[in-house]
């Protein structure tokens, strides 16, 4: 069987008019002889509305009921897609995840798919039907509905592609693919033709909004190739694939910037063993993700400054934990929310020396001050003042020859 998985994001099924268009796209693949499995997200805004309702009811809404509630949006969009496919002459029906079932493991709100039972869907495909499967949801060992975290319908599609051994997994969205950087920040941003899982994972984790990071991890582990393309215009999108399938002459594949980082500096901390651990222990115990860290020491009075970043929505909790921490002494706590993490990403930097220098020199030429630095094998991130985001992206995009 030549199976293709087509996944539609919230904007692509955002109105009944758009759903009609989506049905035509699905029909197009069926006409080409593919056995089509559709996975859909909820109509845009639907999930947010449901989350808001849960908050109106309780600020401590029961997590298993929360999953029943917020996964409801997918039921609506799937029924509408199937209904439209029926209308234009195709055999189709909706499938809730528990009807298949799609089995998950883990906590409510952030479960992961462990197994998909194939039998019913394969039989349905063989009978000539087009199954339309709810993304984002699954069912656990207690027969309760679970969800995969915000944006989780990408993971549903990828795991369907894996379990049904699909020839293709196409993620339809409201942009034409993955760009060298967010086109809203830089007009010169270019569509990337091919990108590796690792690069895509970094891009998504560092602020590119196209796909959910967990789902890219699923794709990488299961070697599922993904096409990302627009449901609005019929153009070639971006292929996310294994590294060795990529031939490229560029060092850097993409740039990202964030708007939700905050920087804290503890001034005048004692410079002795164990201090950094004492600073970060309560943060880790409270699930606060510390991202970038620098420590600067002055030799004179055996004191050091520790600077680190956290996500802005965890800033107040972080400040509270630092202030309550009896194990550390410091002279001052300085907080800055007007910062952005700019990153350059590319597998090419593994084999190309001098990338770090080029990045720093480019920013220096634009008189942009670097506050914190962090690096990994395929990315370099710097923290800068938010007001310099566009200037920095433009300069780096040019320096690493992404403009053409
Ligand atoms: N509807 C869910 C959400 O908004 C899942 C998804 O869109 O992928 O997070
Ligand atoms: Mg979505």
């Amino acid at each position: 069987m030549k199976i293709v998985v087509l996944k539609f994001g919230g904007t692509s099924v955002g109105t009944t008019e758009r759903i009609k268009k989506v049905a035509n796209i699905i029909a197009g693949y069926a006409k080409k002889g593919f056995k089509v499995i559709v996975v859909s997200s909820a109509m845009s805004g639907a999930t947010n509305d449901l989350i808001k309702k849960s908050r109106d009811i309780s600020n401590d809404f029961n997590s298993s009921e929360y999953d029943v509630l917020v996964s409801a949006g997918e039921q609506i969009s799937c029924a509408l897609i199937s209904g439209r496919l029926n209308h234009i002459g195709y055999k189709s029906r909706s499938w809730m995840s528990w009807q298949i079932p799609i089995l998950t493991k883990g906590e409510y709100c952030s479960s992961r798919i462990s197994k998909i039972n194939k039998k019913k869907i394969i039989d349905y495909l063989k009978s000539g039907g087009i199954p339309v499967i709810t993304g984002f949801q699954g069912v656990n060992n207690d027969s309760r509905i679970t969800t995969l975290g915000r944006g989780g319908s990408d993971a549903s599609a990828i795991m369907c592609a894996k379990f049904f051994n699909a020839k293709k997994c196409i993620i339809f969205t409201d942009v034409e693919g993955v760009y060298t950087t967010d086109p809203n920040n830089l007009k010169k941003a270019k569509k990337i033709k091919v990108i590796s899982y690792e690069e895509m994972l970094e891009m998504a984790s560092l602020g590119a909004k196209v796909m959910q990071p967990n789902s890219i991890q699923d794709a990488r582990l299961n070697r599922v190739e993904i096409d990302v393309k627009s449901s609005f215009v019929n153009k070639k999108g971006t292929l996310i694939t294994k590294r060795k399938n990529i031939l490229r002459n560029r060092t850097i594949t993409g740039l990202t910037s964030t708007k939700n980082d905050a920087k804290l500096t503890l001034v005048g901390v004692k410079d002795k063993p164990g201090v950094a651990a004492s600073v970060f222990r309560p943060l880790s115990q409270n699930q606060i993700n510390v991202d970038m860290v620098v420590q600067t020491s002055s030799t004179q009075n055996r004191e050091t400054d520790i600077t680190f970043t956290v996500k802005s929505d965890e800033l107040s909790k972080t400040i509270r934990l630092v202030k309550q921490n009896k194990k550390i002494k410091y002279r001052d706590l300085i907080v800055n929310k007007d910062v952005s993490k700019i990153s350059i990403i590319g597998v090419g930097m593994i084999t190309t020396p001098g990338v770090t220098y080029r990045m720093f020199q480019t920013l220096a030429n634009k008189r942009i001050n670097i506050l914190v630095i962090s690096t990994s094998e395929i990315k370099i991130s710097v923290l800068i003042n938010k007001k310099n985001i566009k200037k920095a992206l433009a300069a780096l995009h040019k320096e690493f020859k992404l403009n053409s």
Side-chain angles (χ1 to χ4, degrees), residues 4-7 29 168-172 226-229:
V4 56
V5 172
L6 308 181
K7 185 257 162 174
Y29 282 87
K168 261 178 190 298
C169 177
I170 308 177
I171 306 266
F172 285 95
I226 310 164
D227 249 324
V228 180
K229 58 194 287 186

Side-chain angles (χ1 to χ4, degrees), residues 7 136 148-155 211-212 215:
K7 185 257 162 174
F136 184 45
L148 309 177
R150 294 308 306 270
S153 50
D154 288 334
M211 278 185 75
Q212 190 210 34
S215 66

Side-chain angles (χ1 to χ4, degrees), residues 7-11 41-42 44 47 74 150-154:
K7 185 257 162 174
F8 296 93
T11 332
S41 172
S44 54
T47 314
E74 273 69 14
R150 294 308 306 270
S153 50
D154 288 334

Side-chain angles (χ1 to χ4, degrees), residues 84-120:
R84 184 63 189 181
L85 285 167
N86 295 155
H87 177 85
I88 60 174
Y90 288 84
K91 176 175 170 174
S92 174
R93 62 157 278 197
S94 60
W95 291 83
M96 306 302 104
S97 49
W98 57 269
Q99 295 173 314
I100 301 175
I102 295 178
L103 301 169
T104 63
K105 288 219 165 93
E107 305 287 315
Y108 291 104
C109 312
S110 60
S111 290
R112 302 287 283 262
I113 295 174
S114 53
K115 190 174 180 244
I116 300 178
N117 237 318
K118 288 164 65 173
K119 172 127 189 16
K120 290 183 196 162

Side-chain angles (χ1 to χ4, degrees), residues 42-61:
M43 295 169 83
S44 54
T47 314
N48 286 346
D49 285 346
L50 295 167
I51 291 173
K52 191 172 168 299
K53 287 198 174 79
S54 78
R55 294 207 179 116
D56 290 347
I57 292 290
S58 164
N59 55 16
D60 189 24
F61 202 90

Side-chain angles (χ1 to χ4, degrees), residues 196-398:
S196 71
Y197 297 121
E198 291 78 9
E199 291 168 320
M200 191 62 224
L201 192 58
E202 291 280 12
M203 299 263 300
S205 315
L206 291 165
K209 283 174 217 76
V210 200
M211 278 185 75
Q212 190 210 34
N214 274 350
S215 66
I216 300 159
Q217 188 73 296
D218 284 337
R220 187 175 75 85
L221 292 172
N222 296 299
R223 293 306 193 220
V224 173
E225 290 209 326
I226 310 164
D227 249 324
V228 180
K229 58 194 287 186
S230 161
S231 66
F232 302 124
V233 290
N234 187 8
K235 281 194 189 157
K236 232 175 146 45
T238 300
L239 177 71
I240 307 174
T241 182
K242 291 187 273 265
R243 225 188 254 190
K244 69 172 197 293
N245 293 352
I246 305 175
L247 261 175
R248 201 191 277 131
N249 47 10
R250 287 199 182 109
T251 314
I252 296 305
T253 307
L255 317 174
T256 57
S257 65
T258 62
K259 288 204 168 110
N260 59 343
D261 286 289
K263 175 171 84 82
L264 298 96
T265 302
L266 285 168
V267 183
V269 188
K270 279 266 160 321
D271 192 7
K272 61 171 195 215
V275 167
S278 304
V279 171
F280 295 119
R281 191 176 301 113
L283 305 184
S284 99
Q285 280 165 345
N286 286 278
Q287 269 76 47
I288 290 183
N289 211 338
V290 173
D291 182 18
M292 309 170 92
V293 184
V294 280
Q295 180 174 331
T296 42
S297 53
S298 78
T299 39
Q300 287 171 7
N301 42 12
R302 313 196 103 250
E303 274 187 352
T304 149
D305 297 344
I306 296 180
T307 296
F308 60 96
T309 64
V310 295
K311 289 288 159 242
S312 325
D313 53 6
E314 294 183 329
L315 179 62
S316 40
K317 194 171 162 192
T318 307
I319 294 174
R320 203 180 60 234
L321 289 166
V322 169
K323 288 191 171 160
Q324 283 169 355
N325 190 344
K326 300 232 160 55
K327 294 251 158 68
I328 51 169
K329 288 211 177 59
Y330 53 89
R331 267 190 281 121
D332 201 1
L333 173 64
I334 303 170
V335 175
N336 185 353
K337 285 208 278 189
D338 295 320
V339 291
S340 170
K341 182 163 72 161
I342 306 277
S343 309
I344 61 175
I345 295 135
V347 291
M349 70 173 72
I350 299 173
T351 47
T352 317
V355 178
T356 316
Y357 160 75
R358 270 169 78 192
M359 180 180 198
F360 296 170
Q361 189 59 55
T362 305
L363 296 173
N365 291 345
K366 294 287 168 193
R367 308 215 160 284
I368 296 170
N369 193 25
I370 299 173
L371 307 169
V372 189
I373 301 162
S374 78
T375 64
S376 81
E377 193 188 29
I378 62 164
K379 71 130 210 264
I380 304 166
S381 300
V382 296
L383 199 71
I384 63 168
N385 212 305
K386 235 179 213 170
K387 66 171 201 277
N388 290 325
I389 295 179
K390 289 193 178 178
K391 205 160 68 167
L393 289 174
L396 293 167
H397 205 265
K398 183 165 176 230

Side-chain angles (χ1 to χ4, degrees), residues 69-89:
L69 176 72
V70 304
S71 63
E74 273 69 14
Q75 174 159 341
I76 296 171
S77 54
C78 287
L80 290 171
I81 296 170
S82 283
R84 184 63 189 181
L85 285 167
N86 295 155
H87 177 85
I88 60 174

